[in-house]
């Protein structure tokens, strides 16, 4: 596969932009550490609890709506054996953000919690909290590779580099800007990433509409224009699995 020079240049510019934000966030964090009594922990993990509402919305959305989310939903919808009815599950999971914001965010903030496990530790002690922490650790260990693979695939599309090398490059960039600037770096790079995702997806729309294979959505949704209807369906023996995924 030939190298796609414009795409490769844009990826390099994107990674340099992300690293630049990481360096800027690092300087901001160090300055904040000198002017606060909260300590390095809260500055690194919580940005001294001074993330604005707009940046907070961006970073929470970007945390959930990443490359794996967008590509995974699209693949599930296109899969003739699944369809939209199965792609709704990650969207339904987003309800957890609403529940967390309405019932848990303010009490935890009032109690100056640093991590999600702090309320458990205060009520049940370190031992039980350590056991409870195993579950989120395992989930993150499974989720992080998915994210890195999606980044690596994007880089490999524009170059002839092996997929494994592209994944290592993406991982190195993510680790560097996170270590440099902590949550400030993560939050502001999320703003850039989500803005690029939003703009680039809308840029795709004219090309899709102008494509020769573009067909009226009402036809592809219900009729077998190219494959099975993409709305999908639930079989009787799949209902309980679908409910379990939702919960």
């Amino acid at each position: 596969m030939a190298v796609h020079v414009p795409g490769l240049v844009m990826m390099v510019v994107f990674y340099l932009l992300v690293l630049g934000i990481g360096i800027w966030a690092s300087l901001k964090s160090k300055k904040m550490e000198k002017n606060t009594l909260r300590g390095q922990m809260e500055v690194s993990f919580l940005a001294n609890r001074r993330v604005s509402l707009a940046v907070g919305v961006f970073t929470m959305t970007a945390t959930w709506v990443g490359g794996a989310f967008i590509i995974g939903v699209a693949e599930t919808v296109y899969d003739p054996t699944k369809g939209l009815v199965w792609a709704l599950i990650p969207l339904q999971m987003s309800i957890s953000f609403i529940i967390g914001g309405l019932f848990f965010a303010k009490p935890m903030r009032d109690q100056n919690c640093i991590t999600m496990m702090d309320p458990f530790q205060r009520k049940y002690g370190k031992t039980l909290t350590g056991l409870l922490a195993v579950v989120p650790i395992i989930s993150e260990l499974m989720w992080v590779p998915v994210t890195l693979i999606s980044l690596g695939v994007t880089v490999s599309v524009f170059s002839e580099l092996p997929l494994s090398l592209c994944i290592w490059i993406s991982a190195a960039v993510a680790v560097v800007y996170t270590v440099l600037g902590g949550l400030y770096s993560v939050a502001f790079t999320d703003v850039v990433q989500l803005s690029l995702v939003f703009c680039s997806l809308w840029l795709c729309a004219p090309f899709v509409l102008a494509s020769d294979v573009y067909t009226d959505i009402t036809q592809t949704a219900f009729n077998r224009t190219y494959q099975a209807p993409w709305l999908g369906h639930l079989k009787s023996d799949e209902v309980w699995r679908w409910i379990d995924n939702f919960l």
Side-chain angles (χ1 to χ4, degrees):
M1 181 182 68
V3 177
H4 190 276
V5 177
L8 188 60
V9 170
M10 288 304 299
M11 285 301 301
V12 172
V13 171
F14 169 70
Y15 277 149
L16 290 177
L17 177 62
V18 168
L19 286 175
I21 293 175
I23 295 172
W24 169 80
S26 174
L27 298 175
K28 188 176 180 66
S29 297
K30 290 180 180 179
K31 183 178 179 180
M32 190 176 296
E33 287 177 19
K34 296 178 181 179
N35 301 326
T36 184
L37 300 175
R38 294 181 181 272
Q40 183 181 3
M41 183 75 72
E42 292 213 5
V43 174
S44 298
F45 285 6
L46 304 177
N48 204 27
R49 304 179 190 269
R50 293 177 60 184
V51 174
S52 65
L53 177 62
V55 175
V57 170
F58 266 96
T59 190
M60 286 295 291
T61 305
T63 300
W64 191 235
V65 185
F69 179 97
I70 296 172
I71 296 172
V73 169
E75 289 179 347
T76 303
V77 173
Y78 188 76
D79 188 341
T81 65
K82 294 181 179 179
L84 183 63
V85 69
W86 288 98
L88 288 176
I89 290 175
L91 300 179
Q92 292 162 339
M93 290 179 183
S94 301
I95 296 173
S96 63
F97 281 135
I98 299 175
I99 296 174
L102 290 175
F103 300 104
F104 295 97
K106 189 177 186 304
M108 291 182 68
R109 189 179 185 90
D110 292 341
Q111 296 175 21
N112 292 321
C113 295
I114 295 179
T115 72
M116 297 291 289
M117 304 306 295
D118 283 6
F120 295 96
Q121 180 173 334
R122 293 174 184 178
K123 187 172 182 61
Y124 301 112
K126 295 181 179 180
T127 302
L128 182 57
T129 304
L131 294 175
L132 293 174
V134 172
V135 176
I137 289 174
I138 293 175
S139 64
E140 290 299 323
L141 288 176
M142 292 188 292
W143 179 250
V144 170
V146 173
T147 305
L148 293 178
I149 289 172
S150 65
L151 284 170
V153 169
T154 304
V155 176
S156 65
V157 167
F158 301 123
S159 65
E160 294 181 334
L161 296 175
L163 176 60
S164 58
L165 179 59
C166 294
I167 293 174
W168 277 109
I169 294 173
S170 302
V173 172
V175 169
V176 168
Y177 79 72
T178 303
V179 171
L180 283 177
L183 183 64
Y184 254 115
S185 180
V186 173
F188 282 98
T189 53
D190 281 342
V191 172
V192 174
Q193 293 173 39
L194 194 62
S195 301
L196 291 175
V197 168
F198 181 82
C199 295
S200 59
L201 285 177
W202 275 109
L203 284 175
C204 295
F207 295 96
V208 173
L209 295 175
S211 172
D212 294 335
V213 299
Y214 169 72
T215 308
D216 190 333
I217 193 172
T218 59
Q219 296 182 28
T220 55
F222 299 100
N223 302 325
R224 294 181 176 270
T225 309
Y226 301 109
Q227 60 181 39
W230 56 261
L231 288 179
H233 62 277
L234 278 176
K235 297 179 182 178
S236 58
D237 60 339
E238 295 175 334
V239 173
W240 289 111
R241 183 156 63 92
W242 189 91
I243 294 175
D244 179 62
N245 289 337
F246 171 76
L247 295 175

